[in-house]
Amino acid sequence: MLDSIFSTVLDTTTTSSGTTVNLTASSFFICTFTAVALGIIIAAAFRFRNKMTKGFTITLALMPAVVELVIMLVNGNLGTGIAVMGAFSLVRFRSVPGSAKDICAIFISMAAGLAAATGYIAVAFVFTVFICLLNILYTMIPLDKNASDQKTLKVTIPEGLDYTNIFDDLFEKYLTEHTLDSVKTTNMGSLFKLDYTIKAKSLEDEKKLIDEIRTRNGNLEISLLRKQFDFREEL
């Protein structure tokens, strides 16, 4: 019973030269509607508790159908396959690097489209629903709760100040942890720009810390930003 459910809906013909897919109108529409439905499921799952642009949401929703059509059109045709590879190679030069989760969402959409294109409708639905449920579950688990409290403190100081320990007493007073990430000169070497990763004891301590830093750096530029983690960074 399970073998029949997870079999392909496409009509295939096996010859000495290989297996050929006989594409019919019914199988085409079944696979296409399946790909569209899977795209909607994936887009909805990855929008759960996440901020995504409208364009990226539409991309996730439509990508399975696009991949499904491309695979169906290639169908063992070497010339068409080479043309498709050339077309997709141009896309990478127009792409902007995204987060790890964005890349994962794109690969899931492509996998769903491939499954729909080969006619394995049940496999495509089971895979997509299972992965989307896992995504929602992992999103609800506070895996980075401690890391989310970390922020980036950017401080500009005159070149005459020793940046190595100028704020150590303030950091010990208001912070639970701090790390000097980078030092950069600016304004023809007359200023230092310091980047710290900090974690304040409380939100009120952040304001007090900034006020006291202003008195030491001559009221030069100070900024406090939410820490942005690269997907290759170890937490």
Side-chain angles (χ1 to χ4, degrees):
M1 182 64 180
L2 288 177
D3 292 339
S4 61
I5 294 176
F6 287 99
S7 60
T8 180
V9 299
L10 298 178
D11 181 23
T12 58
T13 302
T14 303
T15 61
S16 58
S17 59
T19 302
T20 304
V21 176
N22 302 318
L23 185 61
T24 62
S26 59
S27 60
F28 170 76
F29 284 114
I30 290 174
C31 294
T32 301
F33 287 134
T34 299
V36 171
L38 296 178
I40 295 173
I41 294 173
I42 294 171
F46 276 85
R47 281 189 66 89
F48 179 74
R49 292 189 180 181
N50 289 289
K51 294 182 179 179
M52 291 170 51
T53 63
K54 181 179 179 181
F56 188 69
T57 303
I58 295 174
T59 299
L60 288 182
L62 296 181
M63 182 172 289
V66 174
V67 173
E68 174 260 337
L69 178 61
V70 170
I71 298 302
M72 279 190 166
L73 290 178
V74 172
N75 190 19
N77 190 312
L78 180 60
T80 306
I82 295 175
V84 170
M85 289 174 58
F88 276 99
S89 66
L90 297 176
V91 177
R92 66 183 294 270
F93 296 104
R94 302 284 299 176
S95 60
V96 178
S99 65
K101 195 163 189 177
D102 294 342
I103 297 173
C104 178
I106 291 173
F107 274 108
I108 291 173
S109 294
M110 293 180 64
L114 287 170
T118 53
Y120 293 99
I121 306 302
V123 174
F125 268 106
V126 171
F127 164 79
T128 302
V129 172
F130 179 69
I131 293 298
C132 288
L133 288 177
L134 282 180
N135 171 69
I136 294 174
L137 176 62
Y138 291 151
T139 302
M140 295 175 64
I141 298 176
L143 297 175
D144 61 344
K145 183 177 180 181
N146 294 330
S148 63
D149 295 333
Q150 293 182 345
K151 295 185 178 180
T152 299
L153 176 66
K154 297 178 180 288
V155 183
T156 303
I157 63 173
E159 62 174 341
L161 296 181
D162 183 7
Y163 62 82
T164 55
N165 55 13
I166 184 176
F167 302 123
D168 283 357
D169 58 328
L170 300 181
F171 291 162
E172 186 175 350
K173 182 179 179 182
Y174 296 112
L175 305 179
T176 59
E177 59 184 63
H178 67 277
T179 305
L180 179 60
D181 294 328
S182 66
V183 179
K184 183 174 68 173
T185 60
T186 186
N187 198 24
M188 302 294 291
S190 61
L191 300 174
F192 283 112
K193 284 193 172 183
L194 313 178
D195 287 1
Y196 295 91
T197 296
I198 67 170
K199 185 177 180 181
K201 296 179 180 178
S202 66
L203 292 177
E204 293 77 11
D205 288 335
E206 291 182 359
K207 174 66 167 59
K208 296 176 182 178
L209 174 64
I210 292 176
D211 288 339
E212 294 203 29
I213 291 178
R214 289 171 55 200
T215 63
R216 296 195 184 183
N217 74 336
N219 209 27
L220 293 173
E221 181 180 1
I222 302 173
S223 62
L224 186 62
L225 311 171
R226 185 174 298 277
K227 177 70 173 176
Q228 299 294 325
F229 292 97
D230 188 88
F231 68 91
R232 295 162 295 183
E233 186 173 350
E234 295 183 1
L235 301 179

